[in-house]
Amino acid sequence: MRNIVTPSTHHAFSGLTRRLLPAALLGALLSSQLAAAQPIVNGITAATDQAKIPTQSKARKDTVVAAINEPQGVFNPYFFHNGWDENVTDVIFVRLVNLDKQGRPVPELAESWQVSKDGLAYTLKLRKGLTYSDGSPLTAQDVAFTLTVLHDPSYDGETDIGLAHIKGGADYKAGKAASIAGLKVIDAQTIQITTTEPGATTLRLIGGPVLSKAYYGQGYQRGKLDGVRALGGKPLGAGPFVYDKYVPGQEVRFHANARYFRGKPAVGNFIYRITSDATKLQLLQTGETDYDGFAVNPDNIEQLKSLGFANINLYNSSDYSLIEFNHRKPYLKDLKVRQALIYGLDRQKLVDVVYQGYGSVATVPVTPISWAYTTSGINPYKFDPAKARALLDADGWKPGSDGIRVKNGQRLSLTLLATKSLFNDALIPIAKESYKAIGVELKPEVSDFNSLIGKQKAGNYDLATYRTSNLDDPHQGVEEFTSTQSRIKSAYNNPQLDKLVAAANSTLDLNVRKQRYQQLYQQFANDPPVILLAYRKILSASNARVSGFSPNVYNGIIASLPQLKIAQ
Amino acid sequence: MRQFILRRLLMMVPTLLGASAVIFFLFALTPGDFVDGNYMLTEARSRELKALYGLDQPVLQRYLTWLGQLLHGDLGFSLQYQIPVTQLLDQYLWHSFLLSLTVLLLYWGLSLAIGISSALRPYSWYDRLVTLAVFAAMSFPVFFLCLLLIKWFAVDLQWLPVGGMQSTGSEATGLARIGEIALHMVLPVLALVMLQSGSLTRYVRASMLEALRLDCVRTARAKGLKERTVILRHALRNALLPLITLLGLELPGLFSGAIITEKLFNWPGVGHIHVDSLAARDYPVLMGFTLFLAVLTIVGNLLADILYAAVDPRVRLR
């Protein structure tokens, strides 16, 4: 759910971006023809002219200003409803277990963890001498308290702890037990968590940020989270920076945490300033911000390069776009039709138009930077309209008088649910054209995201397109296609895939998981539940006066914060 | 007069009730709800959350619950911001009000001055030039004008800040703070005044032209009154009458926020809260704020009627 500072989430569309989009697309199309600029590669492209560093930014001797889009003031890592608030809490709180730049779990507050042979019991060992920013100790009791809050019947946040299957969790939620049986505090540094089902994503769920029981737990009783909720604007954590102040609609301020377990950060103050897509470049240019994210395209890259003083960061995102089939429709249950719809769609053209060299066609439901990514033995469904036509012919779909195929009186005319976005402004005409050439009619229905999901749940649609959230674990990309865990009743049912998903999620051994995901992705491609569309990259830039920014999709800039240094 | 006001105030009750029902059902029947926005949720968790928020209940019952709360003066609790709706609006509303009021005063003043002066010399060079300038200003696309102003004054000349309401990390208080806010207001105010004064100027000009042709103005001149008195006391008063209705309609606009301009200048106004709450289906905020604007619209109309009666003795309120 993390938002990397970029116009990325479905929630982030504003009236403004909607109005600007057609013009932006036109610009993008034109520039793809004209710009003969040098493309940049993943990693950091260093600033070329330090002398151009704006004076306004040089005046900030001990403060770094990074950009954020729309925080909403709920600064509790388990209570926000908005990925931007998560970016704020990530500065204040630390996770027990974090992810490295390829998405592998690494120790953070927890110095180590052990999993029992049957994969059900987790023993987490905390580092010694951990404290919150106010000096109070951070112990295993706090971990137990945090997990208890998540099981509270009145808890309405974004974390679905139910997926961890902690023993006794459901009983506590239902009021059948006074505490959670599966949580056992062994000593101040050690907690054992027992689950009823093995799961590779469990560690991520139980290894999140820790809430202080002494601070948040005052007066807590089962069913009464008002006290915890009321502290949403007064967070206390153990992170690199301490929260100072939130000025709604303007900025969030922090100062360095002298008690941070990796040592006090070198930069004394950190500010998240709220910026918008239309003027973020100007803010970086005048030196009002030190770091911001931008839409990836050659235009933006050229402009950032021309600033001279900007270090440009380019890295892969962990999300991808897709078109979902409604498997409740008999003609989409038909494998040959689904395959024809993938072969018949010119995805490369889509990627070229939208990302202009900074994206690629998606072939498996995981990002290319993940440890689980593989393409070996997996059908890439290269664009092949002839093959698509042959598949439909063989399946008995005959072109009608208007060129649209018909079988048993059913016309192959499909509705596509989509939101308004730059991506879909390109997808819709390209898909329409591609599909017309193979005798399929496409009827787009554009609405906002909640409407799209609402219509999808109601079931009256054929295709729906959206981009996933940033996914931390490959399991998150496939779990929705199992018959037991389905998020949306798309009615896709493949018992073999069910088994493979469960198998790949049943161990924490990455080598074993990697093999199992390869088999799973083969099966996924053979009986595709969706059309995978595109992977994309993320572009950000920082003022060269600040060194140490090395963002990646799993941590954003958070991992860089303790390392930041201001050149004097 | 008092009876008229009382009666109109009483009539507000059924009007508002009707408005609230229309607003509520319109929003409630839009596909997708607050929980749907998070597509990662499993079905089981999604059902739990809908039950927690009461979204699983029939729409009519949800409306009555909301109405019951409203009658106790409670606008409810924002689902996404997790603070009371009144507190949320209080954080942003006054910023929009400050901007809109400044713009309103400036563009009404400007439009009146330009409209009247050009009506006094119709079809002169001055009139033609003003008409051209006014049309040019109002025909700019909002975002283009704003970005152009930012490029000139903030990026190239560096006289004014790019956006926001205060300098980043500012600890200014008192006069220094007022100065800082004023500096941040210059560009958005300039943009909004340019965009809005056009149509009003045309209104004033037309209304004034019409007033100058009235019999009473001719009579006044025939009496030998000074031209200044003729214009200000006789023509202008008549010309202002139709403008009162327009002024009344400005009231909700003072609080609703100029969405695009505020967004472009990062002004922490209420406009984007309204748009966000619609996108996220944050019903309490959406309902509370829309209803607030409905109240202001009705009050604005009432004020216009009362003012009308006060300045025009021919109108008798009953």
Side-chain angles (χ1 to χ4, degrees):
Chain A
M1 287 303 289
R2 185 189 311 271
N3 276 313
I4 309 300
V5 185
T6 173
S8 64
T9 55
H10 296 291
H11 298 284
F13 293 123
S14 65
L16 167 71
T17 41
R18 257 176 224 153
R19 290 198 54 169
L20 283 177
L21 284 172
L25 180 65
L26 187 66
L29 287 168
L30 285 175
S31 65
S32 70
Q33 311 289 320
L34 301 174
Q38 283 249 299
I40 61 169
V41 292
N42 271 15
I44 298 173
T45 306
T48 49
D49 190 356
Q50 304 263 345
K52 285 189 177 164
I53 292 174
T55 39
Q56 194 177 349
S57 65
K58 281 195 219 159
R60 288 192 297 272
K61 298 284 180 217
D62 197 25
T63 303
V64 170
V65 180
I68 193 166
N69 205 316
E70 283 181 72
Q72 297 182 331
V74 185
F75 303 141
N76 180 314
Y78 296 106
F79 283 79
F80 54 73
H81 284 289
N82 163 322
W84 304 107
D85 280 351
E86 179 171 22
N87 289 12
V88 174
T89 61
D90 278 342
V91 176
I92 311 166
F93 293 84
V94 197
R95 294 175 165 275
L96 290 166
V97 180
N98 214 349
L99 297 175
D100 71 3
K101 60 182 178 182
Q102 283 184 292
R104 286 180 294 233
V106 286
E108 192 86 358
L109 287 182
E111 134 192 299
S112 66
W113 57 88
Q114 282 179 334
V115 188
S116 63
K117 279 248 163 61
D118 57 6
L120 294 179
Y122 295 74
T123 311
L124 298 180
K125 191 135 186 77
L126 305 189
R127 289 170 202 267
K128 286 206 178 68
L130 290 175
T131 65
Y132 294 100
S133 58
D134 66 349
S136 59
L138 188 159
T139 69
Q141 284 289 354
D142 295 326
V143 181
F145 168 70
T146 305
L147 292 171
T148 307
V149 164
L150 294 180
H151 281 93
D152 195 275
S154 66
Y155 173 71
D156 67 338
E158 306 268 304
T159 307
D160 184 2
I161 197 69
L163 297 174
H165 304 285
I166 296 176
K167 196 176 154 194
D171 287 344
Y172 178 77
K173 196 173 212 170
K176 292 184 202 151
S179 62
I180 298 170
L183 300 179
K184 201 165 127 198
V185 175
I186 293 171
D187 60 44
Q189 259 88 52
T190 321
I191 183 168
Q192 194 185 53
I193 297 159
T194 314
T195 63
T196 56
E197 265 180 47
T201 45
T202 303
L203 186 64
R204 178 82 177 152
L205 273 170
I206 60 177
V210 185
L211 301 179
S212 160
K213 187 179 182 183
Y215 184 70
Y216 287 99
Q218 283 174 18
Y220 170 68
Q221 286 173 333
R222 191 186 157 278
K224 284 210 184 316
L225 286 175
D226 299 354
V228 185
R229 213 184 294 275
L231 292 169
K234 298 187 194 84
L236 173 71
F241 286 87
V242 185
Y243 171 84
D244 283 328
K245 188 179 181 185
Y246 167 52
V247 188
Q250 298 280 286
E251 63 194 44
V252 193
R253 297 180 197 172
F254 312 86
H255 68 267
N257 178 8
R259 297 188 173 92
Y260 180 53
F261 76 99
R262 289 206 173 97
K264 186 180 178 181
V267 170
N269 300 288
F270 179 70
I271 295 178
Y272 265 134
R273 160 154 183 162
I274 296 173
T275 65
S276 64
D277 295 346
T279 55
K280 44 173 57 170
L281 186 74
Q282 286 88 329
L283 287 167
L284 185 72
Q285 189 176 359
T286 53
E288 291 190 45
T289 56
D290 292 314
Y291 181 95
D292 209 335
F294 300 88
V296 193
N297 58 54
D299 267 1
N300 276 345
I301 289 173
E302 267 320 291
Q303 284 191 300
L304 288 171
K305 273 189 187 166
S306 72
L307 294 182
F309 66 85
N311 288 330
I312 304 170
N313 314 296
L314 186 72
Y315 55 99
N316 285 78
S317 177
S318 65
D319 56 14
Y320 48 88
S321 42
L322 55 85
I323 297 178
E324 200 181 68
F325 298 116
N326 182 359
H327 297 267
R328 272 173 287 188
K329 303 278 180 172
Y331 43 91
L332 290 173
K333 246 192 161 72
D334 188 337
L335 176 64
K336 289 210 174 76
V337 174
R338 274 181 280 142
Q339 289 181 325
L341 289 173
I342 308 182
Y343 279 120
L345 178 62
D346 195 347
R347 294 180 289 170
Q348 188 58 49
K349 186 170 173 187
L350 173 70
V351 168
D352 289 346
V353 167
V354 179
Y355 297 123
Q356 300 171 60
Y358 297 98
S360 52
V361 171
T363 45
V364 290
V366 71
T367 166
I369 43 168
S370 167
W371 52 265
Y373 180 78
T374 172
T375 52
S376 77
I378 291 156
N379 183 356
Y381 286 94
K382 242 175 138 25
F383 178 52
D384 189 348
K387 188 156 187 175
R389 277 191 288 266
L391 277 165
L392 290 173
D393 284 339
D395 201 32
W397 292 91
K398 297 278 174 274
S401 55
D402 55 353
I404 304 304
R405 290 171 189 269
V406 187
K407 180 181 171 183
N408 303 335
Q410 172 70 47
R411 251 175 115 246
L412 205 45
S413 169
L414 307 174
T415 53
L416 170 70
L417 305 182
T419 55
K420 180 87 185 133
S421 71
L422 183 56
F423 186 87
N424 291 338
D425 282 347
L427 170 67
I428 289 170
I430 290 173
K432 258 188 164 172
E433 192 190 318
S434 285
Y435 285 155
K436 199 172 170 203
I438 59 167
V440 178
E441 185 182 46
L442 189 74
K443 288 191 288 190
E445 278 181 32
V446 179
S447 63
D448 74 357
F449 188 65
N450 292 41
S451 295
L452 184 150
I453 299 289
K455 287 190 227 169
Q456 211 181 11
K457 284 186 176 168
N460 193 20
Y461 72 103
D462 295 311
L463 306 169
T465 182
Y466 52 88
R467 192 166 65 219
T468 68
S469 298
N470 280 313
L471 305 179
D472 291 334
D473 190 279
H475 181 64
Q476 294 173 313
V478 290
E479 65 182 330
E480 66 176 296
F481 305 118
T482 59
S483 47
T484 50
Q485 207 58 279
S486 79
R487 292 187 188 112
I488 293 153
K489 289 177 267 178
S490 73
Y492 175 76
N493 193 347
N494 180 336
Q496 247 177 310
L497 194 87
D498 278 11
K499 268 186 221 147
L500 289 166
V501 171
N505 190 40
S506 67
T507 171
L508 271 83
D509 184 329
L510 293 189
N511 289 325
V512 178
R513 288 189 79 198
K514 197 175 152 108
Q515 282 170 15
R516 291 182 183 169
Y517 275 113
Q518 199 226 344
Q519 292 170 357
L520 192 163
Y521 294 150
Q522 279 175 1
Q523 181 65 32
F524 186 96
N526 293 342
D527 181 15
V530 300
I531 306 176
L532 295 169
L533 293 175
Y535 305 120
R536 61 181 189 132
K537 290 179 191 257
I538 294 176
L539 175 69
S540 69
S542 57
N543 185 318
R545 80 184 188 97
V546 183
S547 62
F549 277 115
S550 58
N552 67 60
V553 71
Y554 295 111
N555 297 294
I557 56 167
I558 301 301
S560 311
L561 292 184
Q563 273 98 50
L564 296 185
K565 282 199 175 63
I566 299 177
Q568 296 295 342
Chain B
M1 184 75 158
R2 181 185 299 164
Q3 245 196 359
F4 167 79
I5 297 175
L6 267 179
R7 204 168 48 227
R8 285 289 297 266
L9 284 175
L10 279 178
M11 265 170 62
M12 271 177 76
V13 177
T15 317
L16 278 177
L17 211 61
S20 77
V22 171
I23 300 168
F24 188 93
F25 288 105
L26 191 68
F27 290 150
L29 297 177
T30 313
D33 58 31
F34 181 66
V35 175
D36 291 335
N38 184 355
Y39 87 101
M40 297 279 284
L41 292 176
T42 59
E43 268 193 77
R45 182 67 185 152
S46 167
R47 268 198 306 276
E48 268 177 23
L49 287 176
K50 287 192 186 195
L52 266 179
Y53 295 132
L55 293 174
D56 55 343
Q57 289 167 356
V59 180
L60 189 64
Q61 192 174 343
R62 278 163 55 195
Y63 175 63
L64 293 177
T65 313
W66 176 80
L67 201 63
Q69 277 182 345
L70 186 72
L71 292 179
H72 289 93
D74 180 7
L75 278 181
F77 206 78
S78 162
L79 298 175
Q80 47 170 354
Y81 293 86
Q82 299 188 21
I83 48 177
V85 173
T86 38
Q87 190 187 335
L88 175 71
L89 293 182
D90 185 53
Q91 283 178 356
Y92 294 94
L93 199 61
W94 301 108
H95 302 155
S96 285
F97 178 71
L98 176 66
L99 190 65
S100 305
L101 185 68
T102 314
V103 170
L104 181 81
L105 292 176
L106 282 175
Y107 96 86
W108 270 79
L110 204 69
S111 299
L112 282 176
I114 299 177
I116 293 168
S117 59
S118 61
L120 291 179
R121 304 173 198 77
Y123 314 111
S124 65
W125 272 109
Y126 172 78
D127 183 30
R128 276 164 218 254
L129 272 179
V130 162
T131 308
L132 184 72
V134 152
F135 272 109
M138 69 190 267
S139 52
F140 269 111
V142 188
F143 60 87
F144 179 73
L145 177 64
C146 294
L147 290 179
L148 198 65
L149 291 175
I150 290 174
K151 177 167 169 31
W152 284 345
F153 295 104
V155 178
D156 294 345
L157 295 170
Q158 307 226 347
W159 289 351
L160 294 162
V162 175
M165 191 173 160
Q166 59 176 35
S167 308
T168 310
S170 166
E171 297 287 353
T173 51
L175 267 183
R177 180 167 163 75
I178 293 173
E180 197 177 296
I181 294 176
L183 203 62
H184 281 81
M185 276 176 71
V186 175
L187 286 183
V189 166
L190 182 64
L192 285 169
V193 168
M194 278 179 73
L195 292 166
Q196 296 190 355
S197 30
S199 55
L200 188 63
T201 305
R202 301 299 295 166
Y203 254 113
V204 175
R205 182 183 173 276
S207 182
M208 191 69 187
L209 274 180
E210 213 168 290
L212 285 170
R213 283 197 292 268
L214 287 176
D215 290 344
C216 67
V217 173
R218 201 177 48 195
T219 314
R221 285 207 176 108
K223 277 197 300 189
L225 288 179
K226 273 185 279 180
E227 185 64 10
R228 200 184 143 79
T229 322
V230 175
I231 305 281
L232 291 181
R233 296 222 17 209
H234 297 268
L236 184 59
R237 282 185 124 181
N238 280 300
L240 286 181
L241 286 178
L243 296 175
I244 288 173
T245 321
L246 282 180
L247 191 61
L249 290 176
E250 296 273 7
L251 187 67
L254 282 180
F255 292 90
S256 63
I259 296 170
I260 297 176
T261 317
E262 285 181 355
K263 184 89 191 168
L264 282 165
F265 287 101
N266 280 324
W267 189 259
V270 77
H272 84 273
I273 300 288
H274 207 183
V275 176
D276 286 354
S277 62
L278 178 61
R281 307 288 193 271
D282 190 346
Y283 299 112
V285 180
L286 207 51
M287 289 300 304
F289 191 51
T290 314
L291 197 68
F292 173 65
L293 293 182
V295 172
L296 287 179
T297 308
I298 296 173
V299 171
N301 269 318
L302 177 61
L303 284 179
D305 285 353
I306 296 170
L307 267 176
Y308 214 101
V311 293
D312 189 348
R314 287 170 301 182
V315 177
R316 286 283 164 265
L317 300 175
R318 255 181 281 275

